[in-house]
Amino acid sequence: MDKTDVLQGTLALMILKTLDTLGPQHGYGIARRLEQMSGDMLRLNQGTLYPALVKLEQQGWIRARWGASENNRRAKFYSLTPRGHKQLTAETERWTRVSAVVERVLKPAGT
Amino acid sequence: MRWRIFGARLRELFRLRRIDRELGEELETHLSLLEDEYVRRGLGRAEARRAARLDLGGLDQTKELVRDRRGFRPMETLAHDVRYAIRLLAKSPGFTIAAVVTLALGIGANAAIFSLVDAVMLRPLPYPEPQRLVSIWEVGYKSGARSVVAPANYADYAQRARSFSAMAAFQPAGKNLTGDGEPERLAAEEVTASYFQTLGVMPAIGRPFAPDENRDGQDDVAVISHGLWQRRFGGDMGILARKVRLDNRVYRVIGVMPEGFQAPSDARGSDPVDVLAPLVVPPEVLTNRQDHEVDVIGRLAPGVSLETARAEMTAISESLAREFPTTADTRSALAPLGADQARLVRPLLLVLLGAVALVLVLACANVASLLVVRSISRQREIAIRFALGATRRRVMSELVTQSLVLAFGGAAVGLVIALWTKDTLVSFAPASLPHLGRVALDARVLTFTTCLATLTGVVFGILPAWQVSRTRPTEVLRTTDRSVIGGWAIKSRQGLMVIEIALSTLLLIGAGLMLRSLIVLNRVPLGFEPDGVLAANIALPPSRYETPQSKLEFFENLAARLAAVPGVQSVAFANRLPLRGAWSSGFSVEPLAGQPETKPQVVVGFQSVSPGYFEVLRMRRLRGRLLDPADRTGAMPVAVVSEAFGRMVLGGAEPIGRRLHRGPNMPWITIVGVVADVRRYGGLSPVEPQVYLSAAQTEVYPLPLSELAVRAEREPVALAPAIKAAVWAIDGNQPVVNIRTLDETLSLRLRERQFQTLLFTLFAALALALAIVGVYGVVAYAVSQRTAEIGLRMALGASAARILRWILAQSLTFVATGAAIGLSAAVWLSRYVRALLFEISPTDITTYAAAAFVLMTAALLASYLAARRAVKADYSCFHKAL
């Protein structure tokens, strides 16, 4: 999947969800998780991932702390803030609603 | 949510470098983790690394994408440009200092003048909702003259008008404060109870007046200023229980105004009002609509416009004119209070603002001229940048940034100059400028200066920047010949030079007109000699000195005591002294036998004077005799008149021997002498007929005596303590105020003229200096660009003198063009300075010629010096080359 195919809002939602499930993660961890979950359908290059992380951080939904990576290098670990948690709940709800509507519209009539 | 991101970006702005470094590290880690993953899957190190890179996309590209999200790119660019500009400017300190100093003078002068104008007429008045306050006055139906309001009319205005939420009347009434220490003359004001509500300011302690305290007998209450409370009563919190003695009458203090309160009349530049007392209008005044006595202010009701209020007041005046056809001879007029207070000084301030703006334009022209040369030297560099793909917009914004940096540098230095000169400016300013106390370099002045600096930077920066940004790289890079672009530089600089000459001609003419006016003004004969005379005001309170006789006795006693003081040449007293006041009254002249009475009543000046008056003031006797000590009550009532009396009242007939009286049952006064005319208020005031009565004939016209004048043998000011001592030897409770030499009072009267002349001369001098520097620079540059041509001419046998003449003739063309433009602009603008001149036409040919002459001489001298340097240069190398 190309990066242009991942809508910015959707990517943000997926990142928030990932951090909610796994707890603090560095950028690589987030990318790997999204790849796995999407069954390798979603390959994120850095140019897509990091600007999205910056925006989430600026909005105050996630925060970053320095820590050590698995190969013992300095890495930034992102975690959900309380406000980010609220945002995730609200966005999930909205997404479910919207996708339900879309699904109903797309379903052939009568079935 | 958007502002949250904005805030975050703003904070990031200060740590951009660190953020960038950290981002690099973070991306590296990410890359290495992926690389490790590939290694685990069995790839070799190098291969794994390559694969990881391919997966993740370009590292720098990512960094750029993230940077776009962080901070503000345009601001980073700006910060970069600013740093670059500062580095470049620091490399050529000569140019930078010249430009910054030039701009600092221009911007500093503007900031200083603006701070003055802002305080005097732009800043809102210090009252709540000041835009609702209006000043109300009256205009004679026939005379068209402005006067204060008749209390009878005020009562009707206040009662009938619906456009105002409150209206108040007040009049100055200085009072002597006695008891507890030295007697003091206080600036006091009698006001209606509505005064406080109208201004929207209540006493900080105590209460305002109640309406029934505006009645006789109830009016022994006073509200005092914070200043007086602190100064005289030590800020005593029990002040409301205290009584004060004012003009020998006991008042209860019922309130203290808040700190910083300014009475509207303080704007006149007199001493600030310290005491407010209830205004009591006597019943006979309330029926007389010709007795104009009180100042009136009103507060417009919410939502009522000035026009509505004006229409209503006009309607009220018209109905009053119908109801009282014989006495209501004035109509009402109104204007916003602030504008009304500044009405007399507005033309002066506007002209000053215009002049100082011209100085700044000149400074801009000078700096633009310098920048043009500078931009030539950068032409090659900029051409290369274009060739490498820089956009025109980018290059231009960088060049404009550079001029903005210069402008802000100039503004910063200019503000320091303004800060230094502010106090001097205020101390020279005439007291007729209201609210001088608020002149300050505050946020308003800073904002103004910032806007001005931005505008300045763009104005002088845009022309060179535009030209340079049009550089065609191929053209510039192909040739080594600088004159391709140098030619344009010479032309544009010559254009700027013409502007500079025109502007400084304009300012020189302005200064010249004002200087000539001041000279003419100082030569106007006053009819008396103010130098060497010390005057003092001794306002005897009527409650203590009830009869005219008791006042006369006081002053005769005082004069006798002072005459014995060493150093005193002569002593006089009067109701008013020239430069310090006047009194006028109507009267009738006895017709000559057999002729009908032509003019029933004429108004002229009436002064009650002691015999020494003419001697102290050195007034010239023309015919007949002066007053002498024998002209006392009981003797025949006599008067001395001024020359204008015969000319303007008697139609040129001889006044001596004629008789006049002020009314049918008043005594006849015989004219016994004629003295020279005086201009009572200095050279600017007209000659008015005067009648001098003998102060000792109190039954003739008991004008209250209050002024003392002493002619000193040497230094008049040294006599001040002697005057006070003499007064207090007679009455220890009598304040002596306004002790000033007549010279000082005269110069106070001329202060406005001196102020404008001084500033204009300063601006003109600055303009001249800038223009000369500009001309020198332009000529020197033009010559340096033509080294080859000059060298060639000299090699072909032209003499140095001939070359000099050739260069001078060229610059003369531009100087003359500039001067011609300046002269025509001056003719066109002259109407704005008419009000500031005295007996000099605003198109005075002598001044114009002199200004043009001074300018052209100076400009040619500058051209000569610049050209001579060039011609003296060594051309021998050139010879060899040929």
Side-chain angles (χ1 to χ4, degrees):
Chain A
M1 217 185 246
D2 195 71
K3 71 170 176 186
T4 47
D5 291 336
V6 184
L7 293 169
Q8 277 298 331
T10 328
L11 179 59
L13 181 57
M14 289 191 292
I15 293 173
L16 290 178
K17 182 67 192 167
T18 307
L19 292 179
D20 189 40
T21 321
L22 298 185
Q25 280 295 320
H26 45 58
Y28 175 73
I30 295 170
R32 283 310 301 267
R33 169 75 179 178
L34 288 180
E35 264 173 52
Q36 284 167 11
M37 294 299 289
S38 67
D40 271 3
M41 293 274 286
L42 189 63
R43 310 210 93 183
L44 289 171
N45 70 21
Q46 290 182 328
T48 312
L49 178 63
Y50 283 92
L53 285 173
V54 165
K55 194 177 173 196
L56 289 173
E57 196 184 350
Q58 284 171 338
Q59 273 168 323
W61 292 337
I62 61 174
R63 70 168 155 251
R65 286 223 177 84
W66 286 99
S69 69
E70 295 85 328
N71 60 357
N72 250 336
R73 296 179 74 133
R74 251 158 67 84
K76 244 186 185 173
F77 282 80
Y78 297 93
S79 60
L80 220 54
T81 63
R83 273 228 317 281
H85 205 85
K86 247 184 259 164
Q87 176 70 14
L88 175 62
T89 321
E91 277 299 303
T92 313
E93 206 173 288
R94 203 171 67 93
W95 176 256
T96 323
R97 224 174 36 238
V98 171
S99 57
V101 170
V102 174
E103 208 171 328
R104 222 172 303 154
V105 171
L106 295 183
K107 232 179 214 170
T111 55
Chain B
M1 195 52 74
R2 193 157 283 181
W3 63 266
R4 192 186 295 284
I5 293 182
F6 179 81
R9 286 185 166 204
L10 207 62
R11 282 193 299 278
E12 285 161 9
L13 205 56
F14 298 97
R15 340 178 259 125
L16 281 177
R17 244 177 234 194
R18 205 179 117 197
I19 287 176
D20 219 39
R21 210 176 49 237
E22 290 181 353
L23 177 66
E25 203 174 341
E26 191 179 7
L27 296 180
E28 275 300 332
T29 304
H30 189 138
L31 197 64
S32 72
L33 282 168
L34 187 58
E35 193 184 316
D36 289 356
E37 173 67 28
Y38 278 124
V39 170
R40 270 199 296 282
R41 288 188 196 170
L43 292 180
R45 244 317 133 184
E47 224 172 323
R49 188 157 188 86
R50 215 170 57 84
R53 279 195 184 259
L54 271 174
D55 268 10
L56 293 179
L59 208 57
D60 286 327
Q61 214 179 336
T62 304
K63 281 187 184 173
E64 274 302 301
L65 282 167
V66 173
R67 276 183 204 134
D68 280 344
R69 279 276 160 87
R70 298 269 188 203
F72 300 90
R73 290 314 284 269
M75 279 189 68
E76 283 170 59
T77 313
L78 181 69
H80 172 266
D81 282 357
V82 168
R83 276 197 299 272
Y84 183 61
I86 292 174
R87 266 208 309 279
L88 267 186
L89 291 172
K91 270 190 203 159
S92 41
F95 161 80
T96 307
I97 289 171
V100 166
V101 168
T102 305
L103 291 169
L105 289 173
I107 295 178
N110 273 275
I113 296 295
F114 176 79
S115 69
L116 187 70
V117 173
D118 184 47
V120 171
M121 60 185 224
L122 299 181
R123 207 138 11 126
L125 298 173
Y127 311 107
E129 296 186 61
Q131 72 284 358
R132 282 169 57 198
L133 285 174
V134 295
S135 165
I136 299 170
W137 67 94
E138 300 191 314
V139 177
Y141 278 119
K142 282 196 201 109
S143 64
R146 175 180 169 134
S147 65
V148 289
V149 176
N153 288 343
Y154 162 72
D156 286 318
Y157 297 153
Q159 201 200 346
R160 299 186 192 186
R162 293 281 158 271
S163 304
F164 302 89
S165 61
M167 199 187 278
F170 53 94
Q171 68 177 3
K175 293 190 190 306
N176 295 345
L177 173 67
T178 49
D180 305 339
E182 235 182 56
E184 196 177 346
R185 180 77 179 170
L186 297 178
E189 207 154 63
E190 293 178 346
V191 307
T192 57
S194 53
Y195 182 82
F196 304 90
Q197 195 199 341
T198 308
L199 289 176
V201 183
M202 289 292 149
I205 305 175
R207 61 168 179 90
F209 299 136
D212 54 5
E213 281 166 340
N214 283 123
R215 274 190 219 132
D216 199 14
Q218 319 264 310
D219 60 329
D220 55 344
V221 287
V223 172
I224 63 172
S225 71
H226 184 270
L228 180 67
W229 179 46
Q230 291 295 328
R231 186 177 79 232
R232 187 84 191 198
F233 303 103
D236 176 15
M237 288 308 290
I239 184 73
L240 297 188
R242 292 182 69 159
K243 296 194 159 64
V244 291
R245 186 169 282 270
L246 298 167
D247 273 5
N248 219 29
R249 187 177 166 200
V250 175
Y251 286 75
R252 281 181 297 133
V253 177
I254 61 158
V256 178
M257 290 309 276
E259 191 173 0
F261 168 74
Q262 290 179 9
S265 46
D266 289 355
R268 288 173 197 151
S270 45
D271 292 335
V273 171
D274 271 329
V275 174
L276 297 171
L279 176 71
V280 176
V281 181
E284 68 273 15
V285 175
L286 263 180
T287 55
N288 183 352
R289 288 174 195 277
Q290 289 167 318
D291 201 345
H292 298 274
E293 285 188 355
V294 291
D295 287 288
V296 176
I297 52 172
R299 179 173 282 274
L300 294 174
V304 172
S305 72
L306 188 67
E307 284 66 37
T308 314
R310 200 172 266 154
E312 189 191 18
M313 288 294 284
T314 308
I316 294 172
S317 285
E318 280 165 3
S319 64
L320 286 178
R322 279 193 300 276
E323 290 164 46
F324 308 96
T326 49
T327 56
D329 59 353
T330 51
R331 63 178 175 80
S332 61
L334 52 117
L337 183 59
D340 192 50
Q341 286 179 348
R343 70 185 190 282
L344 295 175
V345 293
R346 182 183 304 269
L348 165 65
L349 292 180
L350 290 181
V351 167
L352 281 182
L353 264 186
V356 83
L358 291 186
V359 173
L360 183 59
V361 173
L362 227 162
C364 282
N366 258 20
V367 176
S369 187
L370 289 176
L371 269 180
V372 165
V373 177
R374 204 177 143 75
S375 61
I376 299 302
S377 57
R378 290 191 56 193
Q379 192 115 16
R380 189 159 286 272
E381 171 215 330
I382 285 164
I384 292 171
R385 287 179 52 185
F386 275 135
L388 293 177
T391 63
R392 183 166 160 196
R393 201 181 131 160
R394 185 77 194 80
V395 170
M396 231 177 122
S397 88
E398 186 215 297
L399 289 170
V400 172
T401 304
Q402 193 191 331
S403 41
L404 283 174
V405 167
L406 279 177
F408 276 89
V413 181
L415 277 175
V416 174
I417 295 179
L419 199 64
W420 283 341
T421 51
K422 189 201 81 179
D423 290 341
T424 320
L425 185 70
V426 170
S427 69
F428 272 104
S432 58
L433 294 178
H435 309 298
L436 272 181
R438 348 187 254 194
V439 175
L441 287 187
D442 54 5
R444 291 170 63 98
V445 179
L446 280 181
T447 311
F448 171 82
T449 312
T450 309
C451 296
L452 199 66
T454 312
L455 185 71
T456 307
V458 172
V459 163
F460 72 73
I462 205 93
L463 171 78
W466 182 73
Q467 181 59 30
V468 170
S469 70
R470 273 171 36 133
T471 300
R472 259 170 270 150
T474 45
E475 216 170 275
V476 177
L477 296 177
R478 204 184 295 144
T479 173
T480 50
D481 183 9
R482 290 192 151 207
S483 61
V484 174
I485 33 203
W488 172 80
I490 291 176
K491 273 203 201 87
S492 60
R493 292 194 75 189
Q494 281 164 340
L496 288 168
M497 173 170 135
V498 169
I499 296 176
E500 284 169 21
I501 299 285
L503 288 175
S504 41
T505 311
L506 206 54
L507 285 169
L508 268 182
I509 288 173
L513 289 173
M514 288 184 189
L515 272 172
R516 276 183 46 103
S517 291
L518 200 60
I519 292 169
V520 171
L521 191 54
N522 278 325
R523 283 206 194 127
V524 169
L526 297 177
F528 60 95
E529 287 178 25
D531 49 314
V533 178
L534 185 68
N537 182 276
I538 302 154
L540 300 174
S543 48
R544 200 172 163 87
Y545 295 87
E546 283 174 23
T547 62
Q549 196 58 38
S550 62
K551 288 188 172 118
L552 175 67
E553 277 164 18
F554 175 93
F555 272 99
E556 289 192 325
N557 188 350
L558 180 63
R561 281 166 188 269
L562 282 170
V565 171
V568 171
Q569 209 173 67
S570 46
V571 187
F573 53 88
N575 61 323
R576 304 280 160 90
L577 288 171
L579 299 171
R580 294 165 61 98
W583 186 264
S584 45
S585 172
F587 69 99
S588 321
V589 182
E590 187 182 35
L592 289 173
Q595 281 185 8
E597 197 161 337
T598 44
K599 284 184 197 159
Q601 274 258 315
V602 207
V603 176
V604 300
F606 269 82
Q607 320 303 336
S608 182
V609 307
S610 71
Y613 186 85
F614 305 102
E615 192 190 336
V616 170
L617 293 170
R618 299 219 167 121
M619 286 167 64
R620 210 151 41 89
R621 180 181 66 88
L622 298 176
R623 293 186 297 283
R625 70 170 176 94
L626 297 175
L627 299 173
D628 64 46
D631 296 320
R632 306 189 66 86
T633 304
M636 178 182 73
V638 292
V640 168
V641 298
S642 69
E643 201 186 2
F645 187 92
R647 193 172 64 239
M648 294 160 79
V649 178
L650 300 178
E654 175 56 52
I656 294 178
R658 301 287 291 269
R659 301 203 302 169
L660 53 94
H661 68 168
R662 294 195 307 114
N665 297 319
M666 306 276 194
W668 284 103
I669 306 161
T670 308
I671 298 171
V672 294
V674 178
V675 291
D677 284 328
V678 294
R679 294 175 193 271
R680 282 195 76 86
Y681 289 113
L684 285 168
S685 62
V687 164
E688 277 165 352
Q690 296 287 329
V691 175
Y692 302 97
L693 303 171
S694 172
Q697 296 183 323
T698 48
E699 78 286 6
V700 175
Y701 191 2
L703 290 167
L705 299 169
S706 66
E707 295 263 294
L708 180 80
V710 176
R711 180 166 284 281
E713 278 167 0
R714 276 181 297 278
E715 183 48 50
V717 183
L719 292 174
I723 293 180
K724 280 189 187 165
V727 170
W728 292 339
I730 304 170
D731 182 348
N733 277 332
Q734 178 57 49
V736 186
V737 296
N738 204 3
I739 306 186
R740 279 213 176 95
T741 61
L742 286 186
D743 258 346
E744 191 190 343
T745 311
L746 178 65
S747 88
L748 282 177
R749 293 226 165 255
L750 296 180
R751 192 49 95 59
E752 218 171 275
R753 304 287 164 151
Q754 287 168 343
F755 182 65
Q756 71 187 32
T757 310
L758 180 78
L759 284 182
F760 241 86
T761 312
L762 218 75
F763 296 159
L766 201 56
L768 187 64
L770 287 174
I772 286 173
V773 171
V775 168
Y776 182 90
V778 170
V779 174
Y781 180 72
V783 170
S784 75
Q785 291 296 303
R786 291 181 175 178
T787 315
E789 187 182 349
I790 295 170
L792 191 64
R793 283 181 184 233
M794 288 183 90
L796 292 176
S799 67
R802 203 188 154 100
I803 302 268
L804 258 179
R805 269 205 303 280
W806 171 61
I807 295 171
L808 283 188
Q810 274 204 328
S811 74
L812 183 63
T813 321
F814 295 106
V815 171
T817 312
I821 294 173
L823 289 173
S824 357
V827 172
W828 183 64
L829 288 171
S830 61
R831 57 206 150 118
Y832 296 109
V833 294
R834 187 181 294 275
L836 308 180
L837 303 181
F838 178 77
E839 292 196 349
I840 293 282
S841 153
T843 52
D844 177 59
I845 192 81
T846 321
T847 311
Y848 279 51
F853 177 76
V854 167
L855 208 104
M856 291 182 60
T857 313
L860 282 182
L861 192 67
S863 310
Y864 171 75
L865 291 176
R868 201 185 54 169
R869 262 188 69 187
V871 172
K872 279 205 176 153
D874 187 13
Y875 290 103
S876 54
C877 55
F878 205 81
H879 284 240
K880 274 178 213 145
L882 281 175

